[in-house]
Amino acid sequence: MPAEPTPASLPVAAARRRRLRADRARQLADLLRHQILTGGFPSGVLPLEDAIAADHRTSRNTVRQALDLLRGEQLVERQPGVGTVVVCEKYPHALDRLQGLAETLHEHGRVTNEVRTVGPVAASGPVAHRLRLPEHTDVLCIERLRRLNGLPLSLDLSYLPMDIGAELLGCDLENTDVFRLLETLTGRPLGHAEITLEAVNADAHSAAVLQAPRGAAVLMLERLTCLPDGRPVDLEFIRFRGDRITMSGVLHRSL
């Protein structure tokens, strides 16, 4: 016969059960989030909790925990008499093509730019190094708040060599992607970009500009864009509101 559980083992077993329930809730939330972001609920209303539980062969308590996680992400909310509804739309940003934000999101609305800062600054060591310039060389610095359909989406800080950047000063930076302007000014298409993507906490400035809670996680994309000959021409630090953007791409495995 199996041994009777000892009093000391009971809290451990209870903690393990809670952990397993939390794991299942997180896994279910991942599946539901994917369905939400890919249009799996075209009516904007999720199925009833019993239906979700039956579909995923899990308990109703697990479904409730999963929905709580999604409510915490402000993806859904509970509406009396209606059920659980989708309340936040995330927009897809492709990582497998080099495009400006307006090009990337043209199907989802109009991107506008509030130019907050524009002018020459002395390049710090890291900026000069990335742009292959002598340290303290003047570069053009542009900071823009970018909105999609009027809602704050990203805060972009860009550094460009002055021989190219100076010509941007007379351009329409409020309604045109810098990528498109660079290609027009240089007469050449852009070549490639090196990117790094990570989650960072929003500082007070970024949070206020993006109208996000201070300390909220934002997606920070560092991107160094080059001309076809490899010359770097645009170093960007872009902070996206994580609740309004999703990054996606197609990766091919090469042997």
Side-chain angles (χ1 to χ4, degrees), residues 120-169:
V121 298
S124 64
V127 171
H129 174 73
R130 298 297 302 280
L131 292 175
R132 299 182 193 167
L133 298 171
E135 195 168 336
H136 306 309
T137 300
D138 277 356
V139 295
L140 183 68
C141 175
I142 307 173
E143 183 182 76
R144 296 166 296 158
L145 169 62
R146 316 200 69 184
R147 293 185 174 94
L148 177 63
N149 300 325
L151 294 176
L153 185 62
S154 71
L155 182 62
D156 299 12
L157 183 63
S158 305
Y159 298 98
L160 304 101
M162 283 302 295
D163 63 317
I164 294 176
E167 298 187 62
L168 291 175
L169 292 173

Side-chain angles (χ1 to χ4, degrees), residues 92-99 104 191 193 195 223 247-252:
H93 188 295
L95 289 177
D96 49 6
R97 296 189 63 187
L98 183 55
Q99 292 182 310
T104 300
I195 63 171
R223 180 168 61 194
M247 302 289 179
S248 62
V250 177
L251 303 178
H252 298 277

Side-chain angles (χ1 to χ4, degrees), residues 212-224:
R214 183 174 180 176
V218 296
L219 287 175
M220 212 276 278
L221 177 68
E222 180 182 331
R223 180 168 61 194
L224 179 66

Side-chain angles (χ1 to χ4, degrees), residues 62-215:
T62 298
V63 173
R64 288 173 175 168
Q65 284 183 269
L67 295 177
D68 283 342
L69 293 174
L70 298 178
R71 276 194 288 272
E73 297 174 20
Q74 300 181 341
L75 275 180
V76 302
E77 69 178 23
R78 182 79 177 173
Q79 292 186 358
V82 179
T84 301
V85 300
V86 178
V87 294
C88 179
E89 182 177 5
K90 286 195 174 186
Y91 301 99
H93 188 295
L95 289 177
D96 49 6
R97 296 189 63 187
L98 183 55
Q99 292 182 310
L101 193 65
E103 294 173 311
T104 300
L105 301 178
H106 73 278
E107 296 180 354
H108 302 280
R110 181 167 179 258
V111 173
T112 56
N113 310 310
E114 176 189 330
V115 180
R116 298 177 54 82
T117 302
V118 59
V121 298
S124 64
V127 171
H129 174 73
R130 298 297 302 280
L131 292 175
R132 299 182 193 167
L133 298 171
E135 195 168 336
H136 306 309
T137 300
D138 277 356
V139 295
L140 183 68
C141 175
I142 307 173
E143 183 182 76
R144 296 166 296 158
L145 169 62
R146 316 200 69 184
R147 293 185 174 94
L148 177 63
N149 300 325
L151 294 176
L153 185 62
S154 71
L155 182 62
D156 299 12
L157 183 63
S158 305
Y159 298 98
L160 304 101
M162 283 302 295
D163 63 317
I164 294 176
E167 298 187 62
L168 291 175
L169 292 173
C171 295
D172 184 6
L173 293 169
E174 293 186 352
N175 298 291
T176 314
D177 280 339
V178 167
F179 280 1
R180 186 175 295 278
L181 293 173
L182 286 175
E183 291 181 329
T184 299
L185 293 173
T186 63
R188 291 183 288 172
L190 295 171
H192 70 277
E194 303 168 8
I195 63 171
T196 301
L197 181 65
E198 61 181 320
V200 300
N201 293 331
D203 59 277
H205 168 71
S206 300
V209 173
L210 291 170
Q211 298 176 20
R214 183 174 180 176

